Amino acid sequence: MQNAPPPSSAALLLWDVFCRVIDNFGDIGVCWRLCADLATRGHTVRLWVNDASALQWMAPGACQGTWPGITVRPWEQSTDAAQLARLPRADVWVEGFGCELTTEFIAAYVYSTKARDTIDNRNPVWINLEYLSAEAYVERSHGLPSPVMHGPAKGWSKHFFYPGFTAATGGLLRESDLLARQHAFDLPGAKAHWLQGLGIDWAGARLVSLFCYEPTALEGLLQQLDSEPTQLLVTDGRANHAVQALLARRRVDGSPPWHKLQIHFLPRLTQHEYDHLLWACDLNCVRGEDSLVRALWAGKPLLWQIYPQDDDAHNAKLDAFLDMLAADDNLRGAHHAWNDTRPAPLPLMNLNSWSQTVQLARQRLLQMHDLTTQLGQFIAEKR
């Protein structure tokens, strides 16, 4: 089912969403999508973030307050008692990916006369929004309370909210207009027009997007893509640097040039424009969490580079995702080669088979309520 806006009788709430940017902008990407989706549904959101620089290109105007219903606030203001005293209290607190609220922020609410004397003296519903995984523990942990054992809010409870791929989880972020936007992009001429806006002339060649870290199988991928006319659309950042480094090494080594592969280096894209990139391409190489979800909604063959962890915990997470997809041996082998989890070269990719697999998974996932809808229902129950 496609998202539907909440009924007119649904309570419209004030949300405080907290995000600490660690690296790679995945945290801020997911948190911003949630904030934007909440605001579109009529809620009011304050996004507290330690580094909002990525929003300048991800969501232009966000930091300047031009997105209705959303205010972006510097993290350090959450420790300023004078600033906090002037703000209306929120109905919901969301800790993005386990970032912890500052003690000063919690204390400003707990000890405020305003909070105690208000007619509606319910405590905010406190959510720990977790990372996405297809592993079995997600279903077991989703929705569980976590008692606060110390500090100003001692005796309260947070609740774990897990995104996921089954009905026993919190689902995936999916805006109510996403399918309609994708349908409009699929109309004749729309893709070519969008590519032309990026300075890319397209006459029907295979299109591949590349958003990655530094996969050791990168050269093997590009060798395969050179088997037929292909235009590789490389995102800005680490993917750009990885390809540039590979090209420089090949020049030094005297490697022969590719004949059918044309490489385009893209500027930084807004979140909406990144959706367009995924819809345009015949294969999407994605990384992390946010782009994986968007690639699933795009419904095109995908190759996911998972965020590597020192203890190799990402291996089990990758296998769980492939199990969820019902991936065949070819798709599994490609993912393990791309993630360097098994000592084998990248197999010859069967994109037709991959397309069927992703389409079936997409159809299953569309039957679930999206994350924002489920989160709203969860909040209503706890209030």
Side-chain angles (χ1 to χ4, degrees):
M1 64 185 69
Q2 186 177 354
N3 280 10
S8 57
S9 59
L12 297 179
L13 306 176
L14 174 58
W15 300 61
D16 279 320
V17 177
F18 287 79
C19 175
R20 273 199 175 277
V21 177
I22 306 300
D23 59 5
N24 300 316
F25 309 118
D27 293 344
I28 186 64
V30 173
C31 287
W32 177 259
R33 284 197 193 275
L34 173 62
C35 292
D37 199 17
L38 287 167
T40 299
R41 299 169 190 235
H43 297 278
T44 303
V45 188
R46 295 185 295 234
L47 174 61
W48 305 79
V49 59
N50 65 319
D51 180 1
S53 59
L55 293 179
Q56 300 292 350
W57 51 268
M58 193 179 289
C63 297
Q64 292 73 35
T66 62
W67 287 68
I70 307 177
T71 303
V72 178
R73 289 186 170 272
W75 184 278
E76 55 268 23
Q77 287 187 6
S78 70
T79 66
D80 188 329
Q83 290 252 14
L84 296 174
R86 294 193 289 269
L87 296 178
R89 69 188 189 94
D91 304 295
V92 185
W93 294 346
V94 177
E95 293 177 337
F97 308 112
C99 74
E100 294 188 355
L101 308 188
T102 63
T103 300
E104 295 88 347
F105 179 86
I106 299 170
Y109 171 79
V110 173
Y111 300 133
S112 69
T113 303
K114 181 179 179 181
R116 290 198 300 269
D117 290 349
T118 185
I119 295 175
D120 182 0
N121 60 1
R122 291 175 289 187
N123 293 334
V125 181
W126 193 344
I127 299 294
N128 185 347
L129 180 65
E130 282 288 351
Y131 288 98
L132 174 66
S133 178
E135 294 169 281
Y137 76 85
V138 169
E139 290 189 346
R140 298 193 302 268
S141 304
H142 176 59
L144 292 180
S146 174
V148 178
M149 305 303 294
H150 54 80
K154 181 179 179 180
W156 293 19
S157 287
K158 308 178 188 181
H159 285 84
F160 293 107
F161 198 91
Y162 278 87
F165 303 97
T166 71
T169 69
L172 303 174
L173 281 168
R174 186 177 81 246
E175 302 87 355
S176 58
D177 66 344
L178 179 64
L179 299 185
R181 289 198 297 117
Q182 185 173 1
H183 176 73
F185 188 85
D186 289 339
L187 294 176
K191 177 164 68 174
H193 178 75
W194 180 77
L195 290 166
Q196 190 63 51
L198 292 172
I200 298 172
D201 292 323
W202 177 67
R206 177 172 59 185
L207 294 170
V208 177
S209 74
L210 183 66
F211 181 47
C212 63
Y213 304 114
E214 296 82 20
T216 57
L218 179 60
E219 187 167 16
L221 173 69
L222 271 56
Q223 292 281 18
Q224 281 201 41
L225 297 181
D226 193 44
S227 64
E228 66 178 81
T230 301
Q231 291 174 271
L232 180 67
L233 311 183
V234 183
T235 58
D236 189 52
R238 290 176 67 172
N240 181 309
H241 298 155
V243 173
Q244 297 280 13
L246 173 59
L247 294 176
R249 180 176 62 77
R250 286 176 60 85
R251 286 193 294 269
V252 171
D253 293 345
S255 300
W258 290 301
H259 298 290
K260 299 179 181 179
L261 175 64
Q262 185 179 5
I263 300 176
H264 306 274
F265 294 99
L266 303 179
R268 286 181 166 176
L269 302 175
T270 68
Q271 287 191 329
H272 271 198
E273 291 295 287
Y274 184 68
D275 283 338
H276 294 166
L277 175 65
L278 297 176
W279 299 340
C281 288
D282 304 294
L283 169 65
N284 290 309
C285 301
V286 294
R287 75 179 203 203
E289 177 174 330
D290 182 57
S291 63
L292 171 63
V293 173
R294 308 313 287 191
L296 286 169
W297 294 140
K300 305 294 184 67
L302 63 88
L303 193 56
W304 178 38
Q305 188 174 21
I306 192 170
Y307 187 80
Q309 296 172 268
D310 292 336
D311 57 1
D312 289 336
H314 60 284
N315 292 354
K317 187 173 181 178
L318 175 62
D319 280 326
F321 171 73
L322 294 171
D323 289 342
M324 183 281 299
L325 275 186
D328 62 16
D329 289 343
N330 180 257
L331 185 54
R332 286 178 182 274
H335 272 85
H336 282 291
W338 191 239
N339 285 277
D340 205 22
T341 55
R342 294 177 187 170
L346 188 72
L348 187 63
M349 299 178 293
N350 186 340
L351 297 189
N352 288 333
S353 174
W354 293 14
S355 178
Q356 294 173 16
T357 298
V358 174
Q359 280 288 335
L360 288 173
R362 181 179 184 268
Q363 291 171 18
R364 293 195 305 269
L365 295 170
L366 284 173
Q367 302 310 307
M368 296 167 47
H369 285 296
D370 66 278
L371 185 144
T372 306
T373 295
Q374 292 200 52
L375 185 55
Q377 293 169 346
F378 187 83
I379 299 299
E381 293 170 3
K382 299 307 174 185
R383 280 173 56 83

